Amino acid sequence: WQGESAYDQAHYADALAAFTAVVERYGGGNKAPDALLKAGFCEYELKQLGEAQATLQAVVEQYPDSTAARLATQRLERIRSEQR
């Protein structure tokens, strides 16, 4: 919840740290796909586009049939369109 709260308040660096901690500690848990997705969203908001793309691609590859993967794909498409 720390990550969600920080994200909602646009404290993206703090949110990124919280989401990364969830992924590192509970990588096999049911919260991992969403935490990894939100980490990618934070990187995007922090203008770390290369990192965001890598993180979001990891969501798609590691959790292909999840809602997180669908949302990651949408954000990846947005990043690619912005880079044109």
Coordinates of all heavy atoms in Angstrom, one line a residue:
W1 N 0.8 -1.2 0.0 CA 0.0 0.0 0.0 C 0.9 1.3 0.0 O 0.4 2.3 -0.4 CB -1.0 0.0 1.2 CG -2.0 -1.1 1.1 CD1 -2.1 -2.2 1.9 CD2 -3.0 -1.3 0.1 NE1 -3.1 -3.0 1.4 CE2 -3.7 -2.5 0.3 CE3 -3.4 -0.5 -1.0 CZ2 -4.7 -2.9 -0.4 CZ3 -4.4 -1.0 -1.8 CH2 -5.1 -2.1 -1.5
Q2 N 2.1 1.1 0.5 CA 2.9 2.3 0.5 C 3.2 2.8 -0.9 O 3.2 4.0 -1.2 CB 4.3 2.0 1.2 CG 4.2 1.9 2.7 CD 5.6 1.6 3.2 OE1 6.4 0.9 2.6 NE2 5.9 2.1 4.4
G3 N 3.4 1.9 -1.8 CA 3.7 2.2 -3.2 C 2.5 2.9 -3.8 O 2.6 3.9 -4.5
E4 N 1.3 2.3 -3.6 CA 0.1 2.9 -4.2 C -0.2 4.3 -3.7 O -0.5 5.2 -4.4 CB -1.1 2.0 -3.9 CG -1.1 0.7 -4.6 CD -1.3 0.8 -6.1 OE1 -1.8 1.8 -6.6 OE2 -1.0 -0.2 -6.8
S5 N 0.0 4.5 -2.4 CA -0.2 5.8 -1.8 C 0.8 6.8 -2.4 O 0.4 7.9 -2.8 CB 0.0 5.7 -0.3 OG -0.2 7.0 0.3
A6 N 2.1 6.4 -2.5 CA 3.1 7.3 -3.0 C 2.8 7.6 -4.5 O 2.9 8.8 -4.9 CB 4.5 6.8 -2.8
Y7 N 2.4 6.6 -5.2 CA 2.1 6.8 -6.7 C 0.9 7.8 -6.8 O 0.9 8.7 -7.7 CB 1.7 5.4 -7.3 CG 1.6 5.5 -8.8 CD1 2.7 5.4 -9.6 CD2 0.3 5.7 -9.4 CE1 2.6 5.5 -11.0 CE2 0.2 5.8 -10.8 CZ 1.3 5.7 -11.6 OH 1.2 5.7 -12.9
D8 N -0.1 7.6 -6.0 CA -1.3 8.5 -6.1 C -1.0 9.9 -5.8 O -1.6 10.8 -6.3 CB -2.4 8.0 -5.2 CG -3.1 6.7 -5.7 OD1 -2.9 6.3 -6.9 OD2 -3.7 6.0 -4.9
Q9 N 0.1 10.1 -5.0 CA 0.5 11.5 -4.6 C 1.6 12.0 -5.5 O 2.2 13.0 -5.3 CB 1.0 11.5 -3.2 CG -0.1 11.2 -2.2 CD 0.4 11.1 -0.8 OE1 1.4 11.6 -0.4 NE2 -0.4 10.4 0.1
A10 N 1.9 11.2 -6.6 CA 2.9 11.6 -7.6 C 4.3 11.6 -7.0 O 5.2 12.4 -7.5 CB 2.6 12.9 -8.3
H11 N 4.5 10.8 -6.0 CA 5.9 10.7 -5.4 C 6.4 9.4 -6.0 O 6.5 8.3 -5.4 CB 5.8 10.5 -3.9 CG 5.3 11.8 -3.2 ND1 4.6 11.7 -2.0 CD2 5.3 13.1 -3.6 CE1 4.3 12.9 -1.7 NE2 4.6 13.8 -2.6
Y12 N 6.8 9.5 -7.3 CA 7.1 8.3 -8.1 C 8.4 7.6 -7.7 O 8.5 6.4 -7.7 CB 7.2 8.7 -9.6 CG 5.9 9.2 -10.1 CD1 5.8 10.6 -10.6 CD2 4.7 8.5 -10.0 CE1 4.6 11.1 -11.0 CE2 3.5 9.0 -10.5 CZ 3.4 10.3 -11.0 OH 2.2 10.8 -11.4
A13 N 9.4 8.4 -7.2 CA 10.6 7.7 -6.7 C 10.4 6.9 -5.5 O 10.8 5.7 -5.4 CB 11.7 8.8 -6.5
D14 N 9.6 7.4 -4.6 CA 9.2 6.6 -3.4 C 8.4 5.4 -3.8 O 8.5 4.3 -3.2 CB 8.4 7.5 -2.4 CG 9.3 8.6 -1.8 OD1 10.5 8.5 -1.8 OD2 8.7 9.6 -1.4
A15 N 7.4 5.6 -4.7 CA 6.6 4.5 -5.1 C 7.4 3.4 -5.8 O 7.2 2.2 -5.5 CB 5.5 5.0 -6.1
L16 N 8.4 3.8 -6.6 CA 9.2 2.9 -7.3 C 10.0 2.0 -6.3 O 10.1 0.8 -6.4 CB 10.2 3.6 -8.2 CG 11.2 2.7 -9.0 CD1 10.5 1.7 -9.8 CD2 12.1 3.6 -9.9
A17 N 10.5 2.7 -5.3 CA 11.2 1.9 -4.2 C 10.3 0.9 -3.5 O 10.7 -0.2 -3.3 CB 11.8 2.9 -3.2
A18 N 9.1 1.3 -3.2 CA 8.2 0.4 -2.6 C 7.8 -0.8 -3.5 O 7.8 -1.9 -3.0 CB 6.9 1.2 -2.1
F19 N 7.5 -0.5 -4.7 CA 7.1 -1.6 -5.7 C 8.2 -2.5 -5.9 O 8.1 -3.7 -6.0 CB 6.5 -1.0 -7.0 CG 5.2 -0.3 -6.8 CD1 5.1 1.0 -7.3 CD2 4.1 -0.9 -6.2 CE1 3.8 1.6 -7.2 CE2 2.9 -0.3 -6.1 CZ 2.8 1.0 -6.6
T20 N 9.4 -2.0 -6.0 CA 10.6 -2.8 -6.2 C 10.8 -3.7 -5.0 O 11.2 -4.9 -5.2 CB 11.9 -1.9 -6.5 OG1 11.6 -1.1 -7.7 CG2 13.1 -2.7 -6.7
A21 N 10.6 -3.2 -3.9 CA 10.8 -4.0 -2.7 C 9.8 -5.2 -2.7 O 10.2 -6.3 -2.3 CB 10.6 -3.2 -1.4
V22 N 8.6 -4.9 -3.1 CA 7.6 -6.0 -3.1 C 8.1 -7.1 -4.1 O 8.0 -8.3 -3.8 CB 6.2 -5.5 -3.6 CG1 5.2 -6.6 -3.9 CG2 5.6 -4.6 -2.5
V23 N 8.5 -6.7 -5.3 CA 9.0 -7.7 -6.3 C 10.2 -8.4 -5.8 O 10.2 -9.7 -5.9 CB 9.3 -6.9 -7.6 CG1 10.0 -7.9 -8.6 CG2 8.1 -6.3 -8.2
E24 N 11.1 -7.8 -5.1 CA 12.3 -8.4 -4.6 C 11.9 -9.4 -3.5 O 12.5 -10.5 -3.4 CB 13.3 -7.4 -4.1 CG 14.0 -6.7 -5.3 CD 14.9 -5.6 -4.8 OE1 14.9 -5.3 -3.6 OE2 15.5 -5.0 -5.7
R25 N 11.0 -9.0 -2.6 CA 10.7 -9.9 -1.4 C 9.7 -11.0 -1.7 O 9.8 -12.0 -1.2 CB 10.2 -9.0 -0.3 CG 11.2 -8.1 0.3 CD 10.6 -7.4 1.5 NE 11.6 -6.3 1.9 CZ 11.2 -5.1 2.3 NH1 10.0 -4.8 2.4 NH2 12.1 -4.2 2.6
Y26 N 8.8 -10.6 -2.6 CA 7.6 -11.5 -2.8 C 7.4 -11.8 -4.3 O 6.3 -11.9 -4.8 CB 6.3 -10.9 -2.3 CG 6.5 -10.5 -0.8 CD1 6.6 -9.1 -0.5 CD2 6.6 -11.4 0.2 CE1 6.7 -8.7 0.8 CE2 6.7 -11.0 1.5 CZ 6.8 -9.6 1.8 OH 6.9 -9.2 3.1
G27 N 8.5 -12.0 -5.0 CA 8.5 -12.2 -6.5 C 7.6 -13.3 -7.0 O 7.1 -13.3 -8.1
G28 N 7.4 -14.3 -6.1 CA 6.5 -15.4 -6.5 C 5.1 -15.2 -6.0 O 4.2 -16.1 -6.3
G29 N 4.8 -14.2 -5.4 CA 3.5 -13.9 -4.8 C 2.5 -13.4 -5.8 O 2.8 -12.9 -6.9
N30 N 1.2 -13.3 -5.4 CA 0.2 -12.8 -6.3 C 0.2 -11.3 -6.5 O -0.4 -10.8 -7.4 CB -1.2 -13.3 -5.8 CG -1.6 -12.6 -4.5 OD1 -0.7 -12.2 -3.7 ND2 -2.8 -12.6 -4.1
K31 N 1.0 -10.6 -5.7 CA 1.1 -9.1 -5.9 C 2.2 -8.7 -6.8 O 2.3 -7.6 -7.2 CB 1.3 -8.4 -4.5 CG 0.2 -8.6 -3.6 CD -1.1 -7.9 -4.0 CE -2.2 -8.1 -3.0 NZ -3.5 -7.7 -3.5
A32 N 3.1 -9.7 -7.2 CA 4.3 -9.4 -8.0 C 3.9 -8.8 -9.3 O 4.6 -7.8 -9.7 CB 5.2 -10.6 -8.1
P33 N 3.0 -9.4 -10.1 CA 2.7 -8.8 -11.4 C 2.3 -7.3 -11.3 O 2.8 -6.5 -12.1 CB 1.6 -9.7 -12.0 CG 1.6 -10.9 -11.2 CD 2.2 -10.6 -9.8
D34 N 1.4 -7.0 -10.4 CA 1.0 -5.6 -10.3 C 2.1 -4.7 -9.8 O 2.2 -3.6 -10.2 CB -0.2 -5.5 -9.4 CG -1.5 -6.2 -10.0 OD1 -1.6 -6.2 -11.3 OD2 -2.3 -6.7 -9.3
A35 N 2.9 -5.2 -8.9 CA 4.0 -4.4 -8.3 C 5.0 -4.1 -9.4 O 5.5 -3.0 -9.6 CB 4.7 -5.1 -7.2
L36 N 5.3 -5.1 -10.3 CA 6.3 -4.9 -11.4 C 5.7 -3.9 -12.4 O 6.4 -3.1 -12.9 CB 6.6 -6.3 -12.0 CG 7.8 -6.3 -13.0 CD1 9.1 -5.8 -12.3 CD2 7.9 -7.7 -13.5
L37 N 4.4 -4.1 -12.7 CA 3.7 -3.1 -13.6 C 3.8 -1.7 -13.1 O 4.2 -0.8 -13.8 CB 2.2 -3.5 -13.7 CG 1.4 -2.6 -14.5 CD1 1.7 -2.6 -16.0 CD2 -0.1 -2.9 -14.3
K38 N 3.5 -1.5 -11.8 CA 3.5 -0.2 -11.2 C 5.0 0.4 -11.2 O 5.2 1.6 -11.3 CB 2.9 -0.2 -9.9 CG 1.4 -0.2 -9.9 CD 0.9 1.1 -10.6 CE -0.6 1.3 -10.5 NZ -1.1 2.0 -9.4
A39 N 5.9 -0.5 -11.0 CA 7.3 -0.1 -11.1 C 7.6 0.5 -12.4 O 8.3 1.6 -12.6 CB 8.3 -1.2 -10.7
G40 N 7.2 -0.2 -13.5 CA 7.3 0.3 -14.8 C 6.6 1.7 -15.0 O 7.1 2.6 -15.7
F41 N 5.4 1.8 -14.5 CA 4.7 3.0 -14.6 C 5.5 4.2 -13.9 O 5.5 5.3 -14.4 CB 3.3 2.9 -14.0 CG 2.3 2.2 -14.8 CD1 2.6 1.6 -16.0 CD2 1.0 2.1 -14.3 CE1 1.6 0.9 -16.7 CE2 0.0 1.4 -15.1 CZ 0.3 0.8 -16.3
C42 N 6.1 3.9 -12.7 CA 6.9 4.9 -12.0 C 8.1 5.3 -12.9 O 8.4 6.5 -13.0 CB 7.3 4.3 -10.7 SG 6.0 4.1 -9.5
E43 N 8.7 4.3 -13.5 CA 9.9 4.7 -14.3 C 9.4 5.5 -15.5 O 10.1 6.5 -15.9 CB 10.5 3.4 -14.8 CG 11.2 2.6 -13.7 CD 11.6 1.2 -14.0 OE1 11.0 0.6 -15.0 OE2 12.5 0.6 -13.4
Y44 N 8.3 5.2 -16.0 CA 7.7 6.1 -17.1 C 7.5 7.5 -16.6 O 8.0 8.5 -17.3 CB 6.4 5.5 -17.6 CG 5.7 6.3 -18.6 CD1 6.1 6.3 -19.9 CD2 4.7 7.2 -18.2 CE1 5.4 7.1 -20.8 CE2 4.0 8.0 -19.1 CZ 4.4 8.0 -20.4 OH 3.7 8.8 -21.3
E45 N 6.9 7.7 -15.5 CA 6.6 9.0 -15.0 C 7.9 9.7 -14.6 O 8.0 11.0 -14.7 CB 5.7 8.9 -13.7 CG 4.3 8.4 -14.0 CD 3.5 9.3 -14.9 OE1 3.8 10.5 -15.1 OE2 2.5 8.8 -15.5
L46 N 9.0 9.0 -14.2 CA 10.3 9.6 -13.9 C 11.1 9.8 -15.2 O 12.3 10.2 -15.1 CB 11.0 8.7 -12.9 CG 10.4 8.6 -11.5 CD1 11.0 7.5 -10.7 CD2 10.6 9.9 -10.8
K47 N 10.5 9.6 -16.3 CA 11.2 9.8 -17.6 C 12.4 8.8 -17.8 O 13.3 9.1 -18.6 CB 11.6 11.2 -17.9 CG 10.5 12.2 -17.6 CD 9.4 12.1 -18.6 CE 8.4 13.2 -18.5 NZ 7.0 12.8 -18.5
Q48 N 12.3 7.7 -17.2 CA 13.3 6.6 -17.3 C 12.8 5.6 -18.4 O 12.4 4.5 -18.0 CB 13.6 6.0 -16.0 CG 14.1 6.9 -15.0 CD 14.2 6.3 -13.6 OE1 13.8 5.1 -13.4 NE2 14.7 7.0 -12.6
L49 N 12.7 6.1 -19.6 CA 11.9 5.3 -20.6 C 12.6 4.0 -20.9 O 11.8 3.0 -21.2 CB 11.7 6.2 -21.9 CG 10.9 7.5 -21.7 CD1 10.7 8.2 -23.0 CD2 9.6 7.2 -21.0
G50 N 13.9 3.9 -21.0 CA 14.5 2.6 -21.3 C 14.2 1.6 -20.2 O 13.9 0.5 -20.5
E51 N 14.3 2.1 -18.9 CA 14.0 1.2 -17.8 C 12.6 0.8 -17.8 O 12.2 -0.3 -17.5 CB 14.4 1.9 -16.5 CG 15.9 2.1 -16.3 CD 16.4 3.4 -16.8 OE1 15.7 4.0 -17.7 OE2 17.5 3.8 -16.5
A52 N 11.7 1.8 -18.1 CA 10.3 1.5 -18.1 C 9.9 0.4 -19.2 O 9.2 -0.5 -18.9 CB 9.5 2.8 -18.4
Q53 N 10.5 0.6 -20.3 CA 10.3 -0.4 -21.4 C 10.7 -1.8 -21.0 O 10.0 -2.8 -21.2 CB 11.0 0.0 -22.7 CG 10.2 1.1 -23.4 CD 10.9 1.6 -24.6 OE1 12.1 2.0 -24.6 NE2 10.2 1.4 -25.8
A54 N 11.9 -1.9 -20.4 CA 12.4 -3.2 -19.9 C 11.5 -3.8 -18.8 O 11.2 -5.0 -18.9 CB 13.9 -3.0 -19.4
T55 N 11.1 -3.0 -17.9 CA 10.3 -3.5 -16.8 C 8.9 -3.9 -17.3 O 8.4 -5.0 -17.0 CB 10.1 -2.4 -15.7 OG1 11.4 -2.0 -15.2 CG2 9.2 -2.9 -14.6
L56 N 8.3 -3.1 -18.2 CA 7.0 -3.5 -18.7 C 7.1 -4.7 -19.6 O 6.2 -5.6 -19.6 CB 6.4 -2.3 -19.5 CG 6.1 -1.1 -18.6 CD1 5.8 0.1 -19.4 CD2 5.0 -1.4 -17.6
Q57 N 8.2 -4.8 -20.4 CA 8.4 -6.0 -21.2 C 8.5 -7.3 -20.3 O 8.0 -8.3 -20.6 CB 9.6 -5.9 -22.1 CG 9.7 -7.0 -23.1 CD 8.5 -7.0 -24.1 OE1 8.1 -6.0 -24.6 NE2 8.0 -8.2 -24.3
A58 N 9.2 -7.1 -19.2 CA 9.3 -8.2 -18.2 C 7.9 -8.7 -17.7 O 7.7 -9.9 -17.5 CB 10.2 -7.8 -17.0
V59 N 7.0 -7.7 -17.5 CA 5.7 -8.0 -17.0 C 5.0 -8.9 -18.1 O 4.4 -10.0 -17.8 CB 4.8 -6.8 -16.8 CG1 3.4 -7.2 -16.5 CG2 5.4 -6.0 -15.7
V60 N 5.1 -8.5 -19.3 CA 4.5 -9.2 -20.4 C 5.1 -10.6 -20.6 O 4.3 -11.6 -20.7 CB 4.6 -8.5 -21.8 CG1 4.2 -9.3 -23.0 CG2 3.9 -7.1 -21.7
E61 N 6.4 -10.7 -20.4 CA 7.0 -12.0 -20.6 C 6.8 -13.0 -19.4 O 6.6 -14.2 -19.6 CB 8.5 -11.8 -20.8 CG 8.8 -11.2 -22.1 CD 10.3 -10.8 -22.3 OE1 11.1 -11.1 -21.4 OE2 10.6 -10.2 -23.3
Q62 N 6.8 -12.4 -18.2 CA 6.7 -13.3 -17.0 C 5.3 -13.6 -16.6 O 5.0 -14.6 -16.0 CB 7.4 -12.6 -15.8 CG 8.9 -12.4 -15.9 CD 9.5 -11.6 -14.8 OE1 9.0 -11.6 -13.7 NE2 10.6 -11.0 -15.1
Y63 N 4.3 -12.7 -17.0 CA 2.9 -12.9 -16.6 C 2.0 -12.7 -17.8 O 1.2 -11.8 -17.8 CB 2.5 -12.0 -15.5 CG 3.5 -12.0 -14.3 CD1 4.5 -11.0 -14.2 CD2 3.5 -13.0 -13.4 CE1 5.4 -11.0 -13.1 CE2 4.4 -13.0 -12.3 CZ 5.3 -12.0 -12.2 OH 6.2 -12.1 -11.2
P64 N 2.2 -13.5 -18.9 CA 1.6 -13.2 -20.2 C 0.0 -13.2 -20.2 O -0.5 -12.5 -21.0 CB 2.1 -14.3 -21.1 CG 2.5 -15.4 -20.2 CD 3.0 -14.7 -18.9
D65 N -0.6 -13.9 -19.3 CA -2.0 -14.0 -19.4 C -2.7 -13.2 -18.3 O -3.9 -13.4 -18.0 CB -2.5 -15.5 -19.2 CG -2.0 -16.3 -20.4 OD1 -2.0 -15.8 -21.5 OD2 -1.6 -17.5 -20.1
S66 N -2.0 -12.2 -17.8 CA -2.5 -11.4 -16.7 C -3.0 -10.0 -17.1 O -2.7 -9.6 -18.2 CB -1.4 -11.1 -15.6 OG -0.4 -10.3 -16.2
T67 N -3.9 -9.4 -16.3 CA -4.3 -8.1 -16.5 C -3.1 -7.1 -16.6 O -3.0 -6.2 -17.3 CB -5.3 -7.6 -15.5 OG1 -6.4 -8.5 -15.5 CG2 -5.8 -6.2 -15.7
A68 N -2.1 -7.4 -15.7 CA -0.9 -6.6 -15.7 C -0.2 -6.6 -17.0 O 0.3 -5.5 -17.5 CB 0.0 -7.1 -14.6
A69 N -0.2 -7.7 -17.7 CA 0.5 -7.8 -19.0 C -0.3 -7.0 -20.0 O 0.3 -6.4 -20.9 CB 0.6 -9.3 -19.4
R70 N -1.6 -7.0 -20.0 CA -2.4 -6.3 -20.9 C -2.1 -4.8 -20.7 O -1.9 -4.0 -21.7 CB -3.9 -6.6 -20.7 CG -4.8 -5.8 -21.7 CD -6.2 -6.2 -21.5 NE -6.7 -6.0 -20.1 CZ -7.1 -4.9 -19.5 NH1 -7.0 -3.8 -20.2 NH2 -7.5 -4.9 -18.3
L71 N -2.1 -4.3 -19.4 CA -1.8 -2.9 -19.2 C -0.4 -2.5 -19.5 O -0.1 -1.4 -20.0 CB -2.1 -2.6 -17.7 CG -3.6 -2.8 -17.3 CD1 -3.7 -2.7 -15.7 CD2 -4.4 -1.7 -17.9
A72 N 0.5 -3.5 -19.3 CA 1.9 -3.2 -19.7 C 2.1 -3.0 -21.2 O 2.8 -2.1 -21.7 CB 2.8 -4.3 -19.2
T73 N 1.4 -3.9 -21.9 CA 1.4 -3.8 -23.4 C 0.8 -2.4 -23.9 O 1.4 -1.8 -24.8 CB 0.6 -4.9 -24.0 OG1 1.2 -6.2 -23.6 CG2 0.5 -4.8 -25.5
Q74 N -0.2 -2.0 -23.2 CA -0.8 -0.7 -23.6 C 0.2 0.5 -23.3 O 0.3 1.4 -24.2 CB -2.1 -0.4 -22.8 CG -3.2 -1.3 -23.2 CD -4.4 -1.2 -22.3 OE1 -4.4 -0.5 -21.3 NE2 -5.5 -1.8 -22.7
R75 N 0.9 0.4 -22.2 CA 1.8 1.5 -21.9 C 3.0 1.4 -22.8 O 3.6 2.4 -23.2 CB 2.3 1.4 -20.4 CG 3.2 2.5 -20.0 CD 2.6 3.9 -20.1 NE 1.3 4.0 -19.3 CZ 1.3 4.6 -18.1 NH1 2.3 5.1 -17.6 NH2 0.1 4.7 -17.5
L76 N 3.5 0.2 -23.2 CA 4.6 0.0 -24.1 C 4.2 0.6 -25.5 O 5.0 1.3 -26.1 CB 4.9 -1.5 -24.3 CG 5.7 -2.1 -23.2 CD1 5.7 -3.6 -23.3 CD2 7.2 -1.6 -23.2
E77 N 3.0 0.4 -25.9 CA 2.5 1.0 -27.2 C 2.5 2.6 -27.1 O 2.9 3.3 -28.0 CB 1.2 0.5 -27.5 CG 1.1 -0.9 -28.0 CD -0.2 -1.5 -28.1 OE1 -1.3 -0.8 -27.9 OE2 -0.3 -2.7 -28.4
R78 N 2.1 3.1 -25.9 CA 2.1 4.5 -25.7 C 3.6 5.1 -25.8 O 3.8 6.1 -26.4 CB 1.5 4.8 -24.4 CG 1.4 6.3 -24.0 CD 0.6 6.4 -22.7 NE 0.7 7.7 -22.2 CZ 0.2 8.1 -21.0 NH1 -0.5 7.2 -20.3 NH2 0.3 9.3 -20.6
I79 N 4.5 4.4 -25.1 CA 5.9 4.8 -25.1 C 6.4 4.8 -26.5 O 7.1 5.8 -27.0 CB 6.8 3.9 -24.2 CG1 6.4 4.1 -22.7 CG2 8.2 4.2 -24.4 CD1 7.0 3.1 -21.8
R80 N 6.2 3.8 -27.3 CA 6.6 3.7 -28.6 C 6.1 4.8 -29.5 O 6.8 5.4 -30.3 CB 6.3 2.3 -29.2 CG 7.2 1.2 -28.6 CD 6.9 -0.1 -29.1 NE 7.5 -1.1 -28.3 CZ 7.0 -2.2 -27.8 NH1 5.7 -2.4 -27.9 NH2 7.7 -3.0 -27.1
S81 N 4.8 5.1 -29.3 CA 4.2 6.2 -30.1 C 4.7 7.6 -29.8 O 4.9 8.4 -30.6 CB 2.7 6.2 -30.0 OG 2.3 6.6 -28.7
E82 N 5.1 7.7 -28.5 CA 5.7 9.0 -28.1 C 7.1 9.2 -28.6 O 7.6 10.3 -28.7 CB 5.7 9.1 -26.5 CG 4.3 9.3 -25.9 CD 4.3 9.2 -24.4 OE1 5.4 9.0 -23.8 OE2 3.2 9.3 -23.8
Q83 N 7.8 8.1 -28.9 CA 9.2 8.2 -29.3 C 9.3 8.4 -30.8 O 10.3 8.7 -31.3 CB 9.9 6.9 -29.0 CG 10.1 6.7 -27.5 CD 10.8 5.4 -27.1 OE1 10.6 4.4 -27.8 NE2 11.5 5.4 -26.0
R84 N 8.1 8.4 -31.5 CA 8.2 8.6 -33.0 C 8.2 10.1 -33.3 O 8.0 11.0 -32.7 CB 6.9 8.0 -33.6 CG 6.9 6.5 -33.5 CD 5.7 6.0 -34.2 NE 5.5 4.6 -33.8 CZ 4.4 4.0 -33.8 NH1 3.3 4.6 -34.1 NH2 4.3 2.7 -33.4

